[in-house]
Amino acid sequence: MKEWFIDYIKRYWRRFIVIVIVSILAVLCGAALMFTSGYLISKAALRPENVLMIYVPIVAVRTFGIGRAAIQYIARLTSHDATLRILSEMRIQLYKILEPRALFIRSKVRTGNILGLLSDDIEHLQDIYLRTIFPSIVALSVYFIVIFSLGWFSIPFALIMAIYLFILIVFFPLVSLWITKRKSQEINHQRNHLYQSLTDAVLGVSDLMISGRSKAFIRNHEMDETEITKIESSLHSMSQVREFISQGIIGLIVISMIVWSSGMANTHQIPGTLIAAFVLVVFTLGEIFIPISESTEKISQYQTSLDRLQETSHFETEDSKNEIENVSLHQKVTICLDHVHFRHDNESDWAINDLSLTIKQGEKIAIIGRSGAGKSSLIKLIYGALQPERGTITLNGIPANHFGDKMSKMISVLNQTPYLFDTTIRNNIRLGHQQASDEDIKRAAKQAKLDEYIESLPLGYQSAVDEMGENFSGGQRQRLALARVLLQNTPIVLMDEPTVGLDPSTEKELLETIFEAMKGKTLIWVTHHLVGADKMDKVIFMEQGKIEMQGHHRELMNQFERYRRLYQLDVPYQL
Amino acid sequence: MNRELMSYKGIKLILALISVMTIIQSVCIIYQAKWLADIISSLFAGHRLSSVSNQIIYFAFAFTGRYALSLLIKRGAYLFAQKTGTRLREQVLAKLFQLGPAFVRREGTGNLVTLVLEGISQVRTFIGLILPRMSSMGITPVMILMIVFIENKTSGVILLVTMPVLIVFMILLGLAAQKKMDMQWSAYRTLSNHFVDSLRGIETLKFLGLSKKHGTSIKRVSDKYRTMTMRTLRLAFLSSFALDFFTMLSVATVAVMLGLQLIKGEILLNSALMILILAPEYFLPVRELGADYHATLNGKEAASAIQSIMDVPNEQKIEDHLDLSPWNENSEMTLNKVSMYRNEEGKMSLNCINLNVKGFKKIGIIGESGAGKSTLIDILSGFITPTEGEIHLSGNEHPLSSLTHEEWRQQITYIPQTPYIFSQSVLDNVRFYKPSASDAEVKQALEQAGLADLVSQFPDGINEQIGNGGRMMSGGQEQRIALARAFLCERPIILLDEPTAHLDIETEYALKETMLPLFKQKLVFFATHRLHWMKQMDYIIVLNQGKIIEEGTLDELLNKKGEFHKLIQSQLEGLE
């Protein structure tokens, strides 16, 4: 609440005041238009000798008419400008929270598209200003202006009005908020349930069809929906009844106004010409006060977004507190793991259990193991994103987690789902090295064997990645990522199953390209099967955080029956 | 008004009802103004308050009636919208189960879930808003205008002239803003997507060492986005400015004209007041419509998106009923010239497939991605209807155009690359195909699928929640849940689509041991590019570009030294 909301109010209060003042002026102009109009025709009804007698109200009526529209326009622009500014700052704030947690988001939040949701949450929060805060403050200010100006004529009547309007702008909104807050929890709960059940239906569509349970599913789903519709319907009915009562209060105010102003006119405390003016102005006020309940109701919706944003601060962060300033970045790097122990928390088993390993510059290593064998922890440890509980991991003697951001000069990563940004092919490749010339980019693309394909596109390197859609296969995506990594030109490359999901011939071609391009570099390759294992200097089998077998492909083939058995699955030499 | 809206069931009745109520409401509005004007002008003339007490009561009645009707109209529209939403959702879901997994893959799961959940509620909002707005827009201004004309021609003319001017300006300015946005659309889209694009790619940025620096780029782009949006908004808000401007100007002009006429004695005060009170009411429906315009846009879009799903032709032929006995040793199936076009231009996923299967056999389907393996499996599973060709099933006189029949589906088990785990307990997941199964049967199936040990370690045993929101399982474990399902329901036909491609080899090896016993006494179709499985197959089909290029037993194909042999050779060679 504080960091996502109050801090922004503190920072932007000057703008907010301007917006509120302009909005109040717009409201007052609208009220003044009806007031002077009522006065104008009452005055005219007295049939003055000369039109000039009502010249001032005529001008005023026109001014207020035009002024209201113009000021409203300004109010809209200023309020949107302010919220867009806040939006921009909130984005940076969110990004800064997520940045050090980048490598852990995927494993932490498994469900769905959390990043997209967070971005939506921020968009959503800008409405809190436009739809709730500004209108509420404006209504509250107008409330006081109205009460004080009436008090100038008659204090008792002003107090009566104060009570009437208090119901509209304080009592109803608070009651509505209280009710919706309670019900919206229920609705959110139900909605999550529905979301889950629909995801089940869509992703499990084949199982539902084959099991013949689709009709039963629809029936169940509708039953759950009925629950939620009931609550929503009762909320709707509540808001409609509230609006009806609110309008009733406006009606009461009109009648009270008639009674009061006629009394005042009879006793000549006000001129009779003001009766119409006072009565007509009431209608314009209703438009300001009645919607406030609806605006405050929305607060319960923002709560969900705020909660989710708040949660981001609890995501796991990488451990690189001891980042040192001057790391010498050699092109020859020896990686040394010495009795490394790592576990995710104190209760769990060792994810990496007393692992020692030395990798010299230019060595090519394949790491294989079941899921949960500790492969991805090992990769994160080498990258310096995690810190071992015992033992050390060093690159040329410097602990891996001391590199911080400079690690990207030492190690580049090619993983299963390289992200391609919504920009041109050229810009996507250039991310590897921002000062790269167009020639460098072409060379990298050529090394990744993607140059011919890119040049065959009508826009060549200027083609947008997003619009390529289906023309861009899984293999080509990996090649684009490869070009980026080649441009990054680090002595070490970590590969995390880049060929999963590719068919054998695509996989073979991609691996050939990769191995050819990686000459001289250290290659640490996490893989799920053994195609290409014979090209590596060493194959490491991991199991429960330990190295189970290691050695060159030939040695393993000779020594281990288990290895031979597995190799057959990939290379069907028996057939 | 749009096509979808008018096609909803019961729309005419509800529109008629709302229109009648709106007419009565407009009468209330007019009388409310009239009585209020009478009250004020009497009081102004110096009459006592008690002399107008009747009018005050009338006014109160008209005023209450107006808002009571407003409540009824909104409530009616809401309930209708809710009913329509429910009906739409049922239709979409039923359609989804008609179109099956091929359709889901094409549309994207996220899109479909959002469409059903949020799209339908947007359509509901749209219907709930647009029905009252449409009728009040069509009825109230006309009725008010008529009364104003009767009372005073000049004011009537002013109001009459303003309305079209206002609407024209609103539309013109709206279009201008739209055009400006369209012109900068691609830049606009890039800017507005930039943030979410950055968040999604944050891991990649990190690996590239750009993540810290990228913060400034977000600031720069966000600011650019703001300036650009403000430029468009300046134009877009002009549209509502025009609305406000002409409304207020017109009210002001009416007031001034009335004043001048009053001086000349051409009109009485109560008429003038009544017109003055009615003038803002005359514009109110347009202003409300303008305010809700954006809220209705999403609903309109969602409505057409839903309609476009409903318009996709059905896969399942409901008319022909199948009489199928369970598949046994003597059952026979023949595919005759079965083809599947991928698109209108005649690109083919499957090209003239002929295939004859008899009894319990294990059939391997081999080919690279794009060869048509999945399409063939989809046809055999009864998910899609082939574009051409026919299928003969023993015991059925007439050839079928597809296998999309409940009776066929009840005989098969389908295991895809990543089986879906429902967010339910292990128990309910395993007995998904056979909800009546007992705990003991499920436990036995888990034992057979090699999951018994794992499940016994769960705190809640077979009642442990798995799937989304529950305990996460590895790819191999998910595959074993699918196998347990298959062991439990014992259906005679099993179709597998690349069940092990994404798993590590140790897991694949262990899974293979579990899977082979399942295949005994079953008809198995096994699509894969992992050649080692072929050793356990009775018959092999090699697909290439939608055609069967080779078929036979393993020995036949090996001796033939044709395409299959080539595939083996290329995998044997290893990397260059």
Side-chain angles (χ1 to χ4, degrees), chain A residues 68-311:
Chain A
R68 140 99 212 210
I71 296 173
Q72 180 79 11
Y73 179 70
I74 295 169
R76 279 218 172 106
L77 280 183
T78 44
S79 59
H80 276 81
D81 183 65
T83 44
L84 282 170
R85 276 172 204 273
I86 293 175
L87 175 70
S88 158
E89 280 199 35
M90 286 201 289
R91 284 177 164 175
I92 296 161
Q93 189 184 348
L94 177 62
Y95 184 83
K96 281 191 176 148
I97 291 176
L98 291 180
E99 193 269 335
R101 297 166 168 85
L103 302 183
F104 301 97
I105 295 171
R106 202 189 299 247
S107 55
K108 184 84 191 171
V109 194
R110 283 138 170 171
T111 43
N113 157 29
I114 182 75
L115 294 171
L117 273 181
L118 288 172
S119 156
D120 288 347
D121 282 336
I122 284 193
E123 302 264 326
H124 199 157
L125 275 184
Q126 67 176 323
D127 285 348
I128 200 171
Y129 302 101
L130 286 175
R131 304 246 172 98
T132 305
I133 296 194
F134 297 149
S136 305
I137 298 178
V138 169
L140 215 58
S141 316
V142 172
Y143 173 73
F144 284 112
I145 294 173
V146 167
I147 302 306
F148 280 115
S149 15
L150 277 178
W152 195 60
F153 293 100
S154 149
I155 290 174
F157 186 67
L159 286 178
I160 293 171
M161 286 297 121
I163 292 168
Y164 280 149
L165 291 176
F166 183 82
I167 298 175
L168 287 187
I169 69 161
V170 181
F171 180 68
F172 277 176
L174 287 183
V175 171
S176 307
L177 179 63
W178 183 66
I179 294 175
T180 33
K181 228 178 181 166
R182 254 188 13 192
K183 297 234 172 175
S184 74
Q185 267 174 359
E186 219 173 315
I187 289 185
N188 276 343
H189 179 74
Q190 291 274 356
R191 185 140 299 136
N192 284 340
H193 178 68
L194 286 177
Y195 184 82
Q196 194 54 61
S197 117
L198 270 175
T199 314
D200 277 0
V202 170
L203 286 169
V205 65
S206 45
D207 294 304
L208 280 161
M209 282 167 84
I210 290 173
S211 63
R213 292 177 67 179
S214 45
K215 288 210 178 69
F217 172 84
I218 296 182
R219 228 180 8 255
N220 271 335
H221 188 80
E222 280 313 315
M223 253 154 64
D224 293 343
E225 283 275 1
T226 323
E227 292 286 308
I228 208 168
T229 9
K230 264 193 206 144
I231 307 173
E232 280 175 346
S233 177
S234 76
L235 280 179
H236 179 262
S237 136
M238 179 196 88
S239 77
Q240 289 308 312
V241 170
R242 185 192 59 215
E243 177 150 349
F244 178 68
I245 299 174
S246 305
Q247 293 289 2
I249 291 173
I250 295 289
L252 267 179
I253 295 177
V254 170
I255 292 171
S256 317
M257 196 60 108
I258 292 170
V259 174
W260 172 74
S261 57
S262 71
M264 292 288 277
N266 274 343
T267 53
H268 299 288
Q269 281 170 288
I270 59 166
T273 44
L274 284 186
I275 300 176
F278 272 120
V279 173
L280 286 186
V281 91
V282 175
F283 288 100
T284 55
L285 294 181
E287 286 177 31
I288 311 300
F289 294 137
I290 292 177
I292 295 306
S293 296
E294 221 178 307
S295 311
T296 34
E297 262 176 22
K298 295 217 171 72
I299 291 177
S300 57
Q301 292 171 20
Y302 302 127
Q303 197 60 48
T304 327
S305 294
L306 273 173
D307 289 347
R308 199 160 25 218
L309 286 170
Q310 214 95 57
E311 235 169 73

Side-chain angles (χ1 to χ4, degrees), chain A residues 14-30:
Chain A
R14 282 185 202 83
R15 259 174 211 282
F16 284 7
I17 286 178
V18 172
I19 292 164
V20 167
I21 288 176
V22 176
S23 309
I24 292 172
L25 279 180
V27 173
L28 293 183
C29 265

Side-chain angles (χ1 to χ4, degrees), chain A residues 33 40-42 44 46-47 51 54 61 65 69-70 72-73 76-77 80-81 84-85 88 91-92 95 99 103 106 110-111 113 115 195-196 198 200 202-203 205-211 213-214 218 222 225 229 232-233 236-237 240 243-244 247 251 258 262 272 280 283 287 318 370-371 383 405 408 413 419 421-422 431 434 466 484 488 503-505 508 512 515 528-530 532 535 562 565-566 569-571 573 575, chain B residues 36 39 43-44 49 63 67-68 71 74-75 78 82 86 89-90 94 97 100-101 104 109 113 117 124 189 195 197 199-201 203-214 218-219 222-223 226 230 234 237-238 240-241 244-245 248 252 255 259-260 262-265 276-277 287 368-369 383 409 412 414 420 422-423 432-433 468 472 474 491 501 503-506 509 529-530 532 535 570-572 574-576:
Chain A
L33 170 65
L40 167 68
I41 57 171
S42 307
L46 294 173
R47 307 195 56 183
V51 184
I54 55 165
V61 163
Q72 180 79 11
Y73 179 70
R76 279 218 172 106
L77 280 183
H80 276 81
D81 183 65
L84 282 170
R85 276 172 204 273
S88 158
R91 284 177 164 175
I92 296 161
Y95 184 83
E99 193 269 335
L103 302 183
R106 202 189 299 247
R110 283 138 170 171
T111 43
N113 157 29
L115 294 171
Y195 184 82
Q196 194 54 61
L198 270 175
D200 277 0
V202 170
L203 286 169
V205 65
S206 45
D207 294 304
L208 280 161
M209 282 167 84
I210 290 173
S211 63
R213 292 177 67 179
S214 45
I218 296 182
E222 280 313 315
E225 283 275 1
T229 9
E232 280 175 346
S233 177
H236 179 262
S237 136
Q240 289 308 312
E243 177 150 349
F244 178 68
Q247 293 289 2
I258 292 170
S262 71
L280 286 186
F283 288 100
E287 286 177 31
E318 64 189 84
R370 294 171 187 237
S371 67
Y383 199 80
D405 261 15
S408 63
V413 178
Y419 191 78
F421 291 87
D422 182 15
L431 286 173
Q434 298 212 291
D466 182 61
R484 196 152 69 186
Q488 206 179 337
D503 71 57
S505 60
K508 234 178 81 179
E512 275 168 15
F515 293 157
H528 66 295
H529 55 208
L530 290 170
K535 293 285 172 288
R562 182 170 163 202
R565 225 172 47 204
L566 293 175
L569 294 187
D570 278 318
V571 184
Y573 61 89
L575 291 178
Chain B
L36 186 61
I39 295 165
L43 291 176
F44 178 69
L49 190 65
F63 190 89
Y67 289 105
L71 180 118
K74 284 189 187 157
R75 196 66 194 147
Y78 180 82
Q82 210 169 47
T86 309
R89 187 171 46 237
E90 277 171 20
F97 293 124
V104 169
T109 49
V113 173
L117 211 62
R124 250 170 37 188
R189 191 188 60 98
F195 181 62
D197 197 39
L199 284 192
R200 295 214 169 105
E203 195 187 32
T204 303
L205 285 172
K206 186 97 199 169
F207 286 138
L208 293 168
L210 297 173
S211 54
K212 289 233 168 68
K213 248 197 289 179
H214 196 72
I218 287 181
K219 169 135 188 64
S222 288
D223 286 342
R226 177 173 54 83
M230 286 313 293
R234 251 173 258 157
F237 287 159
L238 271 185
S240 29
F241 169 76
D244 272 350
F245 179 79
M248 293 297 165
L260 294 178
L262 276 166
I263 292 179
K264 290 186 206 142
L276 189 63
I277 297 168
R287 287 175 59 198
E368 297 190 347
S369 26
F383 292 139
R409 285 182 190 149
I412 65 169
Y414 167 78
Y420 186 69
F422 291 87
S423 34
F432 193 82
Y433 285 64
N468 216 337
M472 293 303 280
S474 70
R491 296 182 175 192
L503 303 175
D504 66 277
I505 37 172
E506 285 196 88
Y509 187 86
H529 52 236
R530 308 279 292 160
H532 64 87
K535 240 187 136 184
S570 80
Q571 294 201 7
L572 271 184
L575 305 184
E576 318 261 299

Side-chain angles (χ1 to χ4, degrees), chain B residues 365-386:
Chain B
I365 304 169
I366 281 283
E368 297 190 347
S369 26
K373 292 184 305 238
S374 296
T375 314
L376 184 56
I377 290 283
D378 277 353
I379 288 176
L380 291 172
S381 321
F383 292 139
I384 55 174
T385 306

Side-chain angles (χ1 to χ4, degrees), chain A residues 361-380:
Chain A
Q361 181 61 45
E363 264 193 291
K364 309 255 187 286
I365 292 180
I367 301 174
I368 188 159
R370 294 171 187 237
S371 67
K375 293 173 295 182
S376 45
S377 302
L378 183 63
I379 288 268
K380 288 204 175 90

Side-chain angles (χ1 to χ4, degrees), chain B residues 95-134:
Chain B
K95 189 78 185 179
L96 193 69
F97 293 124
Q98 277 283 328
L99 298 176
F103 175 77
V104 169
R105 275 195 299 268
R106 199 169 64 228
E107 292 285 313
T109 49
N111 284 346
L112 284 171
V113 173
T114 320
L115 187 65
V116 177
L117 211 62
E118 274 159 39
I120 301 253
S121 92
Q122 282 166 349
V123 172
R124 250 170 37 188
T125 317
F126 166 62
I127 299 175
L129 279 176
I130 200 75
L131 292 181
R133 296 286 180 263
M134 257 168 38

Side-chain angles (χ1 to χ4, degrees), chain B residues 215-397:
Chain B
T216 47
S217 145
I218 287 181
K219 169 135 188 64
R220 202 189 59 237
V221 172
S222 288
D223 286 342
K224 221 159 132 192
Y225 173 71
R226 177 173 54 83
T227 5
M228 201 150 174
T229 313
M230 286 313 293
R231 235 178 280 148
T232 322
L233 283 184
R234 251 173 258 157
L235 203 57
F237 287 159
L238 271 185
S239 165
S240 29
F241 169 76
L243 187 68
D244 272 350
F245 179 79
F246 285 108
T247 313
M248 293 297 165
L249 192 65
S250 160
V251 173
T253 314
V254 167
V256 171
M257 292 307 290
L258 288 172
L260 294 178
Q261 284 180 332
L262 276 166
I263 292 179
K264 290 186 206 142
E266 288 166 7
I267 189 172
L268 292 172
L269 177 61
N270 59 348
S271 294
L273 267 175
M274 178 176 165
I275 293 168
L276 189 63
I277 297 168
L278 282 177
E281 303 281 3
Y282 172 75
F283 291 108
L284 190 64
V286 198
R287 287 175 59 198
E288 284 177 337
L289 194 68
D292 290 336
Y293 179 68
H294 285 282
T296 59
L297 268 191
N298 290 337
K300 244 186 189 163
E301 270 168 31
S304 9
I306 288 167
Q307 191 55 45
S308 69
I309 289 184
M310 303 305 294
D311 291 341
V312 177
N314 274 0
E315 290 290 353
Q316 195 170 355
K317 307 279 178 299
I318 298 145
E319 63 272 25
D320 34 276
H321 181 75
L322 262 190
D323 233 356
L324 271 187
S325 51
W327 187 272
N328 54 46
E329 278 97 352
N330 303 317
S331 304
E332 201 173 345
M333 174 170 66
T334 311
L335 268 62
N336 193 4
K337 292 186 183 162
V338 167
S339 296
M340 185 78 201
Y341 294 105
R342 197 180 306 158
N343 50 27
E344 308 285 301
E345 295 128 50
K347 260 199 166 179
M348 282 185 166
S349 310
L350 279 183
N351 191 351
C352 230
I353 300 290
N354 293 310
L355 184 67
N356 178 279
V357 189
K358 197 176 172 210
F360 296 126
K361 254 188 183 175
K362 295 190 275 288
I363 297 166
I365 304 169
I366 281 283
E368 297 190 347
S369 26
K373 292 184 305 238
S374 296
T375 314
L376 184 56
I377 290 283
D378 277 353
I379 288 176
L380 291 172
S381 321
F383 292 139
I384 55 174
T385 306
T387 338
E388 276 169 18
E390 47 194 34
I391 299 162
H392 298 266
L393 280 179
S394 56
N396 264 279
E397 276 177 54

